[in-house]
Amino acid sequence: NTVAVLVVACPCALSLAAPAVIACANSALARLGLLPISATALEQLATVRHVLLDKTGTLTTGRPDVAVHAVRAGAGEASLLGIAAALERGSSHPLASAFRGHEQPAVQAGLVREIAGQGIAGRIDGRDYRLGRREFVTADAVRVDGVDDGLFLGDDDGLLARFDLKETVRPDAREAVDALRRLQLDVEIASGDAPGPVRRVAQSLGIARWQARLSPAAKVARLEALQAAGTPVLMVGDGINDAPVLAAADVSMVLRSGSALAQTAGDLLLLDGAWQAVPAAVVVARRARQVLKQNLVWAAAYNLTGIPLAALGWLPPWLAALGMSLSSVLVVLNARRVRA
């Protein structure tokens, strides 16, 4: 009887219940193009009820077209683009790619510094330039062409130009957003860009709630408001400006093309940029949680039933060994359902 009790009490099924599920779930995430970075990513992903999305480089392709509107008389379009390209040369922000094709070897920027959520500043040929939000570039309240959207370039004498950037929404973003809604998740855009571009992207994706001109601190404040209401939040982003909110979210995804700082703050790395992986990952996490509960219930029920039977002599050691082996095989086979 003692031998039978020891065999039944061997916690093989219990010890395999969670690792088997986690291994299968991580394998499923990898096939989707997601690499878990945090040990708690899978567990937290199964509980999310709200999704915060960055816009630039996340919902859009990150390869915008640029149009120049010169403000100061005598400023040539090629010269303005060359200055902007020199400032953005070392930046990892998605909008910096708009100026890559306009770089001029003779135009080099020094003392470059990037201010999160505002813009970038540097010195070219002894003059200080700024590129970013209008209020970051100049204290002048006069709008350019009556609008406040786009990127602005200025020096110590004031505004030089406004750049209009036209972004393209990722082709699979709308389908992924619809899939998130079908999973009963609320979807919201939290962007540092101007209201106009954010509104256009939100409308094209059918997202009713969106916020623009958010600083990194404002994004964190919005996240904390949701969390204070008891809502677990998934944040998806890619830029330096997103790093604080990515780190503070219950679980976060970062695009592989994102900045190194954002990737450090994220819980899951989206390897190939396929947006369909986002809702699919939530499905995998929820299924993994369900299968894990089934495994734990089965393993616990087997032990609670088998130990008394073995102690009373109704379960011989050979049958206890067979039952212990079968229970271990059962939890492993059940865990493979996560991969379906």
Side-chain angles (χ1 to χ4, degrees):
N1 291 4
T2 302
V3 172
V5 169
L6 291 175
V7 172
V8 172
C10 181
C12 290
L14 278 173
S15 59
L16 286 172
V21 171
I22 293 173
C24 291
N26 286 340
S27 177
L29 292 177
R31 287 194 299 273
L32 292 172
L34 276 166
L35 176 65
I37 301 173
S38 167
T40 62
L42 189 65
E43 179 183 358
Q44 296 295 332
L45 190 59
T47 65
V48 296
R49 291 186 299 173
H50 196 98
V51 183
L52 278 180
L53 303 173
D54 176 48
K55 178 187 71 70
T56 305
T58 303
L59 291 172
T60 61
T61 59
R63 296 184 295 273
D65 298 322
V66 58
V68 185
H69 299 269
V71 176
R72 190 177 303 170
E77 180 175 319
S79 174
L80 294 171
L81 288 170
I83 294 172
L87 293 172
E88 295 280 18
R89 187 167 292 145
S91 175
S92 59
H93 194 281
L95 292 182
S97 62
F99 301 97
R100 294 284 188 261
H102 302 283
E103 294 181 0
Q104 301 173 14
V107 183
Q108 298 291 328
L111 302 177
V112 177
R113 59 191 186 280
E114 193 165 353
I115 295 85
Q118 298 295 322
I120 194 166
R123 178 169 294 181
I124 301 175
D125 295 333
R127 293 185 66 84
D128 292 324
Y129 292 91
R130 288 191 172 198
L131 177 67
R133 292 186 179 184
R134 181 177 54 81
E135 58 270 23
F136 170 72
V137 172
T138 178
D140 189 355
V142 178
R143 296 186 175 187
V144 181
D145 297 336
V147 298
D148 195 25
D149 294 347
L151 285 179
F152 292 82
L153 175 67
D155 57 13
D156 295 332
D157 297 328
L159 286 177
L160 277 167
R162 172 172 60 86
F163 300 106
D164 283 337
L165 302 175
K166 184 179 180 181
E167 299 179 87
T168 303
V169 177
R170 292 181 183 271
D172 54 350
R174 178 59 188 260
E175 187 177 352
V177 169
D178 291 341
L180 288 171
R181 290 200 197 92
R182 288 194 294 270
L183 293 173
Q184 305 301 314
L185 298 176
D186 296 324
V187 183
E188 175 181 348
I189 296 178
S191 175
D193 204 352
V198 179
R199 182 188 302 109
R200 287 191 290 271
V201 171
Q203 289 175 346
S204 67
L205 297 177
I207 299 176
R209 187 180 183 92
W210 56 270
Q211 298 187 63
R213 291 297 192 199
L214 293 182
S215 64
K219 290 184 179 182
V220 173
R222 173 57 184 157
L223 171 70
E224 290 176 344
L226 291 167
Q227 292 174 329
T231 304
V233 180
L234 164 65
M235 175 67 195
V236 185
D238 72 326
I240 294 176
N241 302 343
D242 301 322
V245 69
L246 287 168
D250 296 275
V251 61
S252 55
M253 293 184 186
V254 186
L255 274 67
R256 182 177 60 177
S257 57
S259 67
L261 184 59
Q263 292 180 8
T264 302
D267 298 307
L268 293 148
L269 184 63
L270 189 57
L271 297 177
D272 57 4
W275 253 95
Q276 279 300 319
V278 179
V282 176
V283 173
V284 168
R286 291 179 177 179
R287 185 181 299 147
R289 181 176 60 176
Q290 180 184 14
V291 170
L292 177 56
K293 289 180 179 179
Q294 293 172 354
N295 278 358
L296 292 174
V297 168
W298 162 252
Y302 167 74
N303 280 2
L304 291 174
T305 304
I307 290 176
L309 294 177
L312 293 171
W314 296 345
L315 190 65
W318 68 268
L319 189 56
L322 181 61
M324 183 267 292
S325 301
L326 290 176
S327 66
S328 300
V329 171
L330 181 62
V331 296
V332 171
L333 292 177
N334 193 42
R336 290 177 61 85
R337 292 175 52 233
V338 178
R339 303 173 59 184

